[in-house]
Amino acid sequence: EAGVTQFPSHSVIEKGQTVTLRCDPISGHDNLYWYRRVMGKEIKFLLHFVKESKQDESGMPNNRFLAERTGGTYSTLKVQPAELEDSGVYFCASSPGQGSLQETQYFGPGTRLLVL
Amino acid sequence: AQSVTQLGSHVSVSEGALVLLRCNYSSSVPPYLFWYVQYPNQGLQLLLKYTTGATLVKGINGFEAEFKKSETSFHLTKPSAHMSDAAEYFCAVIRSGGSYIPTFGRGTSLIVHP
């Protein structure tokens, strides 16, 4: 069974440009999460999809970030326009079922974004 | 709000030595506690978790952690380090009764010397 995959693995862009990150969850997982880790700091929650619906987007930093999950399969996270402080590692995770405490979230390897 | 403190951004041990990675949490309600490991170029993987019951929790790869409420700690240990244990380790807390979204610590890189 394939794990959570993320594309690209690395992205280097200039301030003001647009970047789109993609996450493919484990097949059949209804729950999809995005997290971000700024260098040397904590991994912080961005948002949670249940199928195609945004269940919780309380962690999204501002309106330059747009997440979608059309059809309830893969998800994209667009940053437009990118700022220097957006640099970091963006992780995606998925889990099956109800998103409960008993479920394990399966993480992807992350996308390393560097904004110059 | 809950928070997690991991003491030491880097811990270095010799192969065969005891591994001790420290984690302290703050939470206004009984917490659920987790340790994740991230090997190079891989995603985070759940090592172990404490929800209820026995306070000594055993995980994969010989790791274990003990929930100590009086000390608000959940330190991760392994009796004998292997070279393959070199990775970054993250402690996380979920507040009981809240959303099931973890709050992570800053991570500790474990370096294992031959």
Side-chain angles (χ1 to χ4, degrees):
Chain A
E1 178 183 278
V4 177
T5 58
Q6 294 187 244
F7 182 82
S9 59
H10 296 77
S11 180
V12 181
I13 62 172
E14 293 187 350
K15 176 183 173 181
Q17 289 186 322
T18 297
V19 63
T20 300
L21 314 180
R22 172 171 169 146
C23 169
D24 286 77
I26 293 173
S27 178
H29 281 196
D30 287 341
N31 297 281
L32 188 148
Y33 308 82
W34 283 99
Y35 297 86
R36 176 175 71 173
R37 186 187 188 197
V38 173
M39 185 180 293
K41 299 203 171 180
E42 302 88 348
I43 299 170
K44 291 202 170 179
F45 166 76
L46 296 178
L47 88 159
H48 170 206
F49 283 100
V50 177
K51 297 184 180 179
E52 67 275 9
S53 299
K54 292 177 184 174
Q55 182 77 8
D56 181 352
E57 53 184 330
S58 61
M60 293 288 265
N62 51 62
N63 60 9
R64 295 185 294 103
F65 288 76
L66 175 64
E68 295 180 322
R69 193 183 182 195
T70 306
T73 55
Y74 71 91
S75 174
T76 58
L77 180 63
K78 180 189 287 188
V79 185
Q80 180 182 28
E83 298 290 344
L84 300 179
E85 64 265 24
D86 299 333
S87 296
V89 182
Y90 290 78
F91 292 102
C92 176
S94 71
S95 71
Q98 302 301 311
S100 72
L101 180 65
Q102 299 306 321
E103 291 184 359
T104 297
Q105 291 187 23
Y106 296 86
F107 283 76
T111 292
R112 285 147 186 80
L113 175 64
L114 178 60
V115 182
L116 301 175
Chain B
Q2 62 268 23
S3 66
V4 176
T5 301
Q6 291 184 239
L7 295 178
S9 58
H10 294 80
V11 170
S12 182
V13 300
S14 298
E15 191 173 21
L18 171 70
V19 176
L20 171 60
L21 304 183
R22 298 178 186 274
C23 173
N24 288 87
Y25 68 90
S26 67
S27 177
S28 57
V29 297
Y32 302 128
L33 296 157
F34 303 77
W35 276 99
Y36 286 86
V37 60
Q38 185 182 20
Y39 299 103
N41 300 316
Q42 296 185 27
L44 276 73
Q45 179 182 359
L46 182 66
L47 261 183
L48 49 80
K49 64 182 177 184
Y50 168 79
T51 54
T52 59
T55 56
L56 181 63
V57 181
K58 295 186 183 300
I60 62 172
N61 301 337
F63 284 93
E64 62 182 35
E66 186 170 12
F67 170 55
K68 293 187 176 181
K69 183 178 178 180
S70 61
E71 299 177 9
T72 61
S73 70
F74 191 57
H75 302 329
L76 182 70
T77 60
K78 182 174 179 177
S80 176
H82 295 155
M83 297 296 292
S84 60
D85 294 328
E88 191 157 22
Y89 293 78
F90 295 91
C91 183
V93 61
I94 289 177
R95 181 174 62 91
S96 61
S99 71
Y100 300 119
I101 303 298
T103 296
F104 288 91
R106 293 192 174 195
T108 298
S109 290
L110 177 64
I111 302 162
V112 183
H113 296 289

